[in-house]
Amino acid sequence: MEELADIFKALSNPHRLSIFQELLHREGFRVREGHSCCGRHDGRCCVGELGRVVDLAPSTISHHIKELKNAGLINIDKQGSFLYCTVNWDIWQKVVDFFGQ
């Protein structure tokens, strides 16, 4: 329950919820339709692109990305000077299962 409480706390912020929703959408739908983020088609989205999509300043998006990562909701992959985000589907499944009970 403690882990779920931390997840819900992270998602209770409207900006973080918007960021996470965008990642869910990109990984679940756009990649299958052939759209990409930062020129990628593997479901990963760079932090800069997420900031532009949800209209947040770089320092603000970085703060929210950190909170989502700390809650376990997203994974971060650094390649060069880029940070790519993906949904942590194992953790997200715990949330889905919680509401399915």
Side-chain angles (χ1 to χ4, degrees), residues 21-95:
Q21 182 181 30
E22 183 64 23
L23 283 171
L24 284 171
H25 178 73
R26 286 174 182 261
E27 287 190 51
F29 299 104
R30 290 189 184 174
V31 171
R32 290 186 192 123
E33 295 172 2
H35 293 83
S36 68
C37 178
C38 298
R40 304 193 66 91
H41 292 276
D42 59 4
R44 297 185 299 163
C45 193
C46 63
V47 172
E49 175 70 12
L50 279 171
R52 285 188 291 279
V53 170
V54 296
D55 196 29
L56 293 173
S59 60
T60 304
I61 191 85
S62 293
H63 166 73
H64 291 305
I65 291 293
K66 178 183 166 194
E67 293 297 319
L68 291 169
K69 182 179 178 349
N70 287 344
L73 285 161
I74 63 171
N75 301 308
I76 303 289
D77 179 31
K78 184 174 182 178
Q79 291 188 347
S81 61
F82 292 96
L83 293 177
Y84 292 96
C85 303
T86 55
V87 172
N88 181 340
W89 292 102
D90 293 334
I91 296 296
W92 184 240
Q93 188 61 52
K94 290 180 182 182
V95 174

Side-chain angles (χ1 to χ4, degrees), residues 8 19 58 83 88 97:
F8 295 142
I19 292 164
L83 293 177
N88 181 340
D97 291 345

